[in-house]
Amino acid sequence: RTHNEWNLLVEAHGLGVTVPEPIALGEQADSVWIIQERVPSHGDIETLFRRPPVSFQQLLTGPTVRHDIAQTLGKALRTWHDSGLEHTDLHAGNLLLSGTPGNWTPTLIDLDGAQILGIPLPEKKRLTNLAVLNRFFFRVTPRSERLRFLRAYLDSDVSEEKIRSWARQIERGAYSGARRLWSRRRPWCYRENRRFSTLRCEDLTGFLDREFRDWGFLDRLETLDEWMDSEDVTAVLKDSRSARVVRL
């Protein structure tokens, strides 16, 4: 697997895909390692959009900066896809962002799940790759920002009708992919096993990840309504008759 990633890194770098420059591949006993260029960056895009450090927040002086990032990322993805790079696990955590406003550079840092087709990606594969990436940006950016990214990806000469058609297909693909992912994980979440233990508290029954059993959730759940309205809640993501989802 490491040899395969090394070969992909070398080939992608040769094609002009923005990846860390490969330096060395080595084997020692039962381990294989890769040495590659260290990329000076502000961090990965997932972290920058969710929990930006102060140094990066100072660069976000207005909406035009975020617009610039969206357009730069769209153009980079178009270049990578045109070079034949397909990545079935392309998410924001795999993308580093370097540079300053007006001169951003996204770098792909994980090629696990990628392949070089040797031809520009067909439209269906492009939509599939973009749908995976959209699972993250759907949660942290408005639709107008995602359309700006898509306009940069497609081309300024493409009709607005086609841009919105692609947007609908990407959103449907992201939704379908999330459902498939959940269906694979669902059996693990609905029975007691090595990862989940049965949770019983007052009139509440469910399952809890064993990793979090010592985090004080049981005590908190006894006063669930009070907890949901406490200062621990940093954001309300959904509040309807069917569910209340908060970020703690």
Side-chain angles (χ1 to χ4, degrees):
R1 187 170 178 175
T2 307
H3 283 89
N4 183 53
E5 185 162 356
W6 167 261
N7 292 334
L8 279 169
L9 188 63
V10 171
E11 190 172 359
H13 188 265
L15 288 171
V17 177
T18 316
V19 295
E21 183 177 358
I23 297 174
L25 170 72
E27 296 185 40
Q28 186 176 20
D30 58 349
S31 63
V32 182
W33 43 263
I34 293 175
I35 298 178
Q36 59 189 26
E37 170 196 22
R38 178 182 178 276
V39 179
S41 71
H42 302 288
D44 66 85
I45 289 179
E46 179 172 2
T47 301
L48 294 177
F49 273 71
R50 284 191 170 187
R51 300 176 298 277
V54 175
S55 58
F56 186 71
Q57 289 180 9
Q58 293 172 347
L59 296 176
L60 300 177
T61 54
T64 56
V65 178
R66 291 177 67 96
H67 298 172
D68 191 25
I69 294 174
Q71 291 170 340
T72 300
L73 188 58
K75 291 175 182 177
L77 261 292
R78 172 64 183 262
T79 301
W80 300 349
H81 286 167
D82 285 349
S83 71
L85 177 70
E86 179 187 18
H87 201 313
T88 57
D89 189 29
L90 181 63
H91 58 81
N94 287 343
L95 297 167
L96 296 181
L97 186 66
S98 309
T100 55
N103 190 32
W104 300 110
T105 301
T107 301
L108 180 61
I109 58 171
D110 186 354
L111 293 176
D112 189 23
Q115 62 175 329
I116 305 293
L117 299 185
I119 58 171
L121 256 63
E123 182 173 308
K124 186 176 180 179
K125 288 186 179 293
R126 292 175 187 255
L127 289 167
T128 300
N129 279 200
L130 293 174
V132 174
L133 188 61
N134 188 69
R135 290 180 205 167
F136 168 75
F137 285 110
F138 183 82
R139 299 194 298 269
V140 299
T141 59
R143 194 167 193 268
S144 59
E145 204 72 73
R146 300 196 299 277
L147 286 173
R148 184 171 282 103
F149 160 86
L150 199 51
R151 289 187 186 98
Y153 176 89
L154 286 170
D155 202 337
S156 57
D157 296 332
V158 173
S159 69
E160 191 67 19
E161 180 181 354
K162 182 173 182 179
I163 291 171
R164 294 187 178 276
S165 172
W166 270 55
R168 289 192 294 271
Q169 293 180 73
I170 289 169
E171 288 169 1
R172 285 198 297 267
Y175 179 72
S176 299
R179 286 179 62 90
R180 288 194 298 271
L181 181 63
W182 170 243
S183 67
R184 291 198 298 270
R185 294 180 177 177
R186 187 176 181 180
W188 277 89
C189 302
Y190 281 147
R191 67 173 185 265
E192 189 164 83
N193 48 49
R194 287 177 299 173
R195 180 170 178 181
F196 292 96
S197 63
T198 303
L199 170 67
R200 291 187 178 88
C201 176
E202 296 291 329
D203 58 348
L204 179 67
T205 302
F207 297 93
L208 178 67
D209 191 323
R210 294 179 186 275
E211 181 181 347
F212 300 104
R213 284 200 68 85
D214 298 328
W215 283 39
F217 279 114
L218 294 179
D219 295 335
R220 290 287 198 166
L221 290 174
E222 292 178 356
T223 55
L224 182 60
D225 292 337
E226 294 178 14
W227 190 24
M228 291 297 98
D229 292 323
S230 72
E231 294 180 353
D232 291 341
V233 175
T234 60
V236 177
L237 306 180
K238 179 181 179 181
D239 192 358
S240 67
R241 288 182 297 175
S242 62
R244 179 176 173 83
V245 182
V246 302
R247 179 179 295 136
L248 301 171

